[in-house]
Amino acid sequence: MKQLDVLIFLGPPGSGKGTQAEILTEKLKYLHISVGDLLRENISKNTELGKLASSYVNAGELVPDDLIIKLVNSYIYDLQNKDSKYLGIILDGFPRTIKQASSLENKIKDLGASIKAVIYLDISDEKIISRLQSRGRNDDKPELIRNRLDVYRKQTEPLLDFYSEKKLLESINGDQNLKNVNGNILNVLKEKVI
Ligand code: AP5
Ligand code: MG
């Protein structure tokens, strides 16, 4: 069985997780797992998961942990078992709670995989609001952006300490142009995965 390297992208809504994960997965031959994209795809296809998740996503609330853990595990499992071309995975938007992080620890242990780094994109609320308002996704309405930020502070921010204690957290200034943010990430990943 393949040994997978895992990178986690952590940061508030609109911090650039998806954008940077996309650039990096191509470069590193990793699979990009964006939980938000998977949920939106399930919602638009009206799958069982989509039906269960839509009210949470549309309110800017977190989808219950059990559903998310099952979804992510199914992707990790597939990757290990097929003759996959990927050397690792980037988890974008997972974990978002301590419960999700603990479940990931167990999964990683089971698989003999390892988390190489947790990239934290740090950016101010003002910058986030202006970025997201000009993008205009369904959940980018002003009141929903505010709720997503509140949810992030309460439920996801505790992961900064969780990963910092494990010496995995790498803070990057997300308030720079795409190229500079990418350059900073590559610098941090030198010697870890590159
Ligand atoms: P998700 O889709 O993950 O949304 P999010 O975390 O709110 O983050 P975004 O995707 O909005 O932002 P991003 O950080 O990816 O930034 P992006 O690169 O797009 O989750 C959606 C929902 O799904 C959640 O609210 C929840 O309901 C549910 N969910 C997801 N994961 C879950 C989990 N683990 N548990 C439970 N529920 C979960 O960039 C944003 C914009 O800025 C873009 O327009 C981009 O072009 C622009 N931009 C990016 N970088 C720069 C830059 N350097 N300079 C200028 N502009 C930039
Ligand atoms: Mg995203």
Side-chain angles (χ1 to χ4, degrees):
M1 209 185 272
K2 254 174 133 98
Q3 163 141 10
L4 282 179
D5 287 345
V6 179
L7 293 176
I8 294 172
F9 275 44
L10 187 62
S15 54
K17 302 183 293 294
T19 306
Q20 294 297 333
E22 204 59 50
I23 299 173
L24 212 66
T25 37
E26 225 163 273
K27 191 177 167 66
L28 299 178
K29 300 199 169 51
Y30 278 26
L31 176 69
H32 176 195
I33 301 180
S34 161
V35 175
D37 288 349
L38 292 173
L39 290 171
R40 281 183 290 277
E41 194 185 316
N42 275 275
I43 292 169
S44 76
K45 291 184 178 155
N46 208 24
T47 64
E48 279 313 303
L49 172 64
K51 284 180 208 159
L52 292 168
S54 69
S55 60
Y56 298 98
V57 173
N58 294 333
E61 294 289 333
L62 293 188
V63 175
D65 286 330
D66 294 350
L67 289 175
I68 297 293
I69 289 167
K70 206 168 137 201
L71 173 71
V72 173
N73 281 350
S74 74
Y75 271 83
I76 299 179
Y77 183 80
D78 269 3
L79 206 63
Q80 289 266 324
N81 280 280
K82 66 184 167 213
D83 198 12
S84 128
K85 58 182 193 280
Y86 301 110
L87 304 176
I89 48 181
I90 292 187
L91 294 174
D92 156 13
F94 178 88
R96 270 190 222 231
T97 62
I98 295 285
K99 187 170 172 198
Q100 292 178 14
S102 307
S103 146
L104 179 65
E105 295 284 299
N106 292 332
K107 188 77 190 166
I108 295 240
K109 235 182 259 160
D110 283 355
L111 297 174
S114 69
I115 299 176
K116 295 291 178 185
V118 178
I119 305 290
Y120 164 49
L121 296 173
D122 188 11
I123 183 167
S124 69
D125 286 8
E126 296 71 47
K127 198 73 188 199
I128 287 169
I129 291 165
S130 92
R131 273 189 193 179
L132 292 185
Q133 277 179 339
S134 56
R135 179 177 63 179
R137 203 168 72 192
N138 268 352
D139 57 349
D140 288 340
K141 299 176 189 79
E143 68 283 8
L144 282 184
I145 297 173
R146 268 192 300 276
N147 194 43
R148 284 159 64 201
L149 281 167
D150 277 355
V151 166
Y152 170 79
R153 301 277 170 239
K154 288 195 191 105
Q155 302 192 58
T156 306
E157 221 168 44
L159 291 179
L160 297 181
D161 281 347
F162 181 91
Y163 286 119
S164 174
E165 278 162 22
K166 293 181 187 293
K167 310 260 182 288
L168 286 170
L169 195 75
E170 302 286 352
S171 288
I172 305 281
N173 174 9
D175 188 7
Q176 312 175 73
N177 66 38
L178 290 187
K179 207 164 156 248
N180 287 355
V181 176
N182 186 245
N184 287 181
I185 295 174
L186 289 175
N187 266 342
V188 156
L189 292 182
K190 258 189 210 138
E191 289 154 34
K192 290 184 198 282
V193 292
I194 298 174

